[in-house]
Amino acid sequence: MTPTKDDVTIIGRVNYPKRRPLANVIVIGSQWGDEGKGKITDLLSKSADVVVRYQGGVNAGHTVVVNDQTFKLHLIPSGILYPDTECIIGSGTVIDPKVLIEELDLVEALGISTANLMISQAAHVTMPYHQLIDRASEERRGSQKIGTTGRGIGPTYADKSERTGIRIVDLMSRDRLKEQVHWTVNYKNLILEKLYHLSPLDPDEVEKEYIEYADRLKPYVIDASLKIYNAIEGRRNILFEGAQGTLLDLDHGTYPYVTSSNPVAGGACVGAGVGPTMIDRVIGVAKAYTTRVGEGPFPTEINDEIGRLLRDRGAEFGTTTGRERRCGWFDAVIGRYAVRINGMDCMAITKLDVLDELPEIKVCVAYQIDGQRCEDFPSSPLELAKCQPIYETKPGWQQSTVHCQTLEDLPQQALDYLRFLAELMKVSIAIVSLGASRDQTIVVEDPIHGPKRDLFYPSDTAGEN
């Protein structure tokens, strides 16, 4: 006899309370990094109970300005500025203990408690030989250089994949640390001496240095995946923040000119240790124009006085290295790509005020490759290098927007520009940033607590929340 609908019983069903909607949000960079994720994460952290950094290392940096005080953070999540927010450095990150301790000292010296900071015991540790190999390797590449920060991030991730890495949990055991440091340093010395002709490291000195780091960091070390899972079970708001941007992703970026991890939204699940069904929303962050640091193709790059104006007005210098960022017009091709790769459902547009002085503004709507129009991002770096941008030009507003507090305060041309970007990328614009400070922000829609307004939804989905 075939069972009816009424006969079917769900085996093992647990009557959990209904999850609050839009509780767990990923913040990702939609361009080549440096989009202003730190400010957006800081802004959203006030609604978050937990902030999780899920990948990258000290090669990334974010700047947050609060009450005219500037905080430059590399490893500690920007949620640390809120006293009741728990901050977790996840297993997908690589940690330079020396830099992290310097950051702890800096934050505490400014009167900010680090009691709510936690570090995953499964995160990998950047060692002195990683930095030496990183810089020597980059120099050896010559014209083929990647443009790394020289902070040892790539070699740390390489050791992770090679299964010769040292993890935070290893620092917590002196016997384990001694065994690993001596074996690994002696192995790496062969590379330093024979391949790069550098002086060898003393394993005893390295061991002594990292024992001191371990003593300082031990109170912060936890099983991060379990902590995050319990927070999800407790219906707490969780914000997942990545470093770098979509176009620097190891698998989906402009390889080989990429970072060594996965900044895309999918990387949050791996790097934090949660399943994809736990994620409610993905918000991408993009500048109102485009920048890039380091080597690699950049179709909309501007090498004239407008490019210099964007760099100067936008203070486009790397937080970690101080290098000048390459500047160009907004690229909607990579914007659409970022929406697709990340499953993005809303965006934050930053630095709109940088465009205030321009009489007209160009937007790349498609590429031309060998005479053919292309609206999708090419997967081949050889094709990307041949791409010529196809622009549409929009009128500028030529008046200051830095003091605008609402959408109604913005000039009509600025509103039209934002709507145009939303239409091109088929995604809503939830936040508009007009400066570095917290209060220089217009929140159209709160990605954590639900829709606030739908003005910047594309026209074919207008009004749908």
Side-chain angles (χ1 to χ4, degrees):
M1 180 177 176
T2 304
T4 66
K5 180 178 180 181
D6 292 337
D7 295 326
V8 176
T9 300
I10 299 175
I11 300 173
R13 179 171 62 188
V14 179
N15 291 320
Y16 288 117
K18 185 178 180 181
R19 290 182 65 191
R20 288 179 296 158
L22 314 180
N24 303 327
V25 179
I26 301 173
V27 179
I28 58 96
S30 304
Q31 298 163 322
W32 277 285
D34 308 311
E35 300 95 347
K37 296 182 299 299
K39 177 185 175 178
I40 302 304
T41 303
D42 170 67
L43 179 73
L44 297 178
S45 293
K46 67 181 180 182
S47 300
D49 301 305
V50 183
V51 179
V52 181
R53 165 75 178 275
Y54 62 84
Q55 53 75 226
V58 298
N59 56 334
H62 45 259
T63 302
V64 179
V65 180
V66 183
N67 298 327
D68 296 325
Q69 193 169 25
T70 299
F71 300 86
K72 292 189 176 184
L73 304 173
H74 298 274
L75 285 168
I76 298 178
S78 50
I80 199 72
L81 304 180
Y82 292 93
D84 296 326
T85 301
E86 293 182 339
C87 295
I88 300 174
I89 302 175
S91 61
T93 60
V94 293
I95 297 173
D96 184 330
K98 180 180 179 181
V99 174
L100 179 55
I101 290 169
E102 290 172 352
E103 212 164 295
L104 288 169
D105 291 341
L106 173 64
V107 168
E108 290 171 352
L110 294 170
I112 298 168
S113 172
T114 60
N116 283 335
L117 178 68
M118 287 155 273
I119 304 169
S120 171
Q121 61 185 1
H124 278 249
V125 179
T126 297
M127 304 295 290
Y129 47 78
H130 291 136
Q131 298 166 359
L132 292 170
I133 291 172
D134 192 1
R135 292 191 288 267
S137 174
E138 184 75 348
E139 183 178 350
R140 178 70 65 90
R141 286 177 179 270
S143 62
Q144 301 296 314
K145 66 180 181 178
I146 302 298
T148 75
T149 60
R151 300 299 182 96
I153 308 304
T156 309
Y157 277 112
D159 278 6
K160 178 179 180 177
S161 296
E162 195 182 34
R163 291 159 291 181
T164 58
I166 295 174
R167 302 194 298 173
I168 290 291
V169 68
D170 299 318
L171 295 189
M172 300 301 108
S173 167
R174 292 201 175 188
D175 290 340
R176 174 67 172 162
L177 180 61
K178 179 182 180 67
E179 177 186 350
Q180 281 201 292
V181 164
H182 279 255
W183 184 90
T184 310
V185 168
N186 287 326
Y187 169 60
K188 296 296 181 180
N189 278 341
L190 294 175
I191 299 173
L192 293 172
E193 292 182 275
K194 303 298 183 183
L195 181 59
Y196 296 117
H197 308 294
L198 297 174
S199 300
L201 293 167
D202 184 336
D204 290 323
E205 289 299 316
V206 174
E207 178 194 354
K208 179 182 177 182
E209 178 184 0
Y210 278 73
I211 284 174
E212 293 178 1
Y213 296 153
D215 291 341
R216 175 70 186 278
L217 296 179
K218 189 172 184 177
Y220 298 99
V221 177
I222 63 163
D223 181 339
S225 178
L226 178 60
K227 178 73 175 179
I228 296 166
Y229 179 79
N230 288 337
I232 293 171
E233 288 292 287
R235 315 306 175 207
R236 305 181 74 197
N237 291 327
I238 303 176
L239 193 65
F240 299 87
E241 70 163 329
Q244 291 93 29
T246 299
L247 276 296
L248 292 178
D249 186 88
L250 180 60
D251 292 291
H252 303 289
T254 50
Y255 190 91
Y257 304 103
V258 294
T259 192
S260 303
S261 57
N262 294 110
V264 294
C269 295
V270 177
V274 301
T277 57
M278 299 292 110
I279 304 302
D280 297 301
R281 298 196 72 176
V282 179
I283 177 170
V285 185
K287 286 175 183 169
Y289 49 101
T290 309
T291 63
R292 179 168 196 174
V293 171
E295 307 301 317
F298 183 1
T300 66
E301 184 171 10
I302 311 170
N303 292 308
D304 58 20
E305 60 183 27
I306 293 178
R308 290 189 290 274
L309 181 145
L310 294 178
R311 183 167 52 247
D312 293 341
R313 283 183 55 83
E316 297 297 353
F317 302 91
T319 304
T320 299
T321 64
R323 290 182 294 180
E324 288 186 358
R325 296 175 184 143
R326 301 155 64 189
C327 297
W329 298 113
F330 189 91
D331 189 334
V333 179
I334 67 172
R336 288 191 293 268
Y337 179 73
V339 170
R340 172 168 64 86
I341 289 294
N342 293 288
M344 197 187 305
D345 65 336
C346 62
M347 290 192 74
I349 298 295
T350 64
K351 295 195 174 184
L352 183 68
D353 57 296
V354 174
L355 306 179
D356 284 351
E357 295 182 1
L358 298 178
E360 60 181 28
I361 301 165
K362 293 182 179 181
V363 177
C364 174
V365 298
Y367 297 150
Q368 182 171 284
I369 306 175
D370 295 330
Q372 299 294 316
R373 183 183 176 97
C374 176
E375 297 191 357
D376 296 314
F377 188 74
S379 60
S380 166
L382 299 178
E383 284 198 346
L384 182 62
K386 296 190 292 184
C387 285
Q388 296 298 315
I390 298 174
Y391 289 118
E392 287 194 26
T393 301
K394 296 295 176 181
W397 41 96
Q398 293 188 282
Q399 62 186 89
S400 176
T401 60
V402 294
H403 299 298
C404 294
Q405 297 293 307
T406 67
L407 290 174
E408 290 76 15
D409 294 336
L410 288 172
Q412 185 60 49
Q413 294 90 337
L415 286 170
D416 292 342
Y417 180 71
L418 292 170
R419 284 195 182 93
F420 183 61
L421 299 187
E423 292 285 348
L424 286 172
M425 294 181 291
K426 294 183 172 59
V427 70
S428 67
I429 294 177
I431 296 170
V432 181
S433 174
L434 301 162
S437 297
R438 282 177 179 171
D439 58 358
Q440 293 178 301
T441 313
I442 298 171
V443 178
V444 184
E445 172 193 350
D446 187 330
I448 291 181
H449 287 310
K452 186 175 181 181
R453 299 179 65 173
D454 63 3
L455 179 60
F456 285 136
Y457 274 78
S459 58
D460 60 343
T461 58
E464 294 179 9
N465 294 326

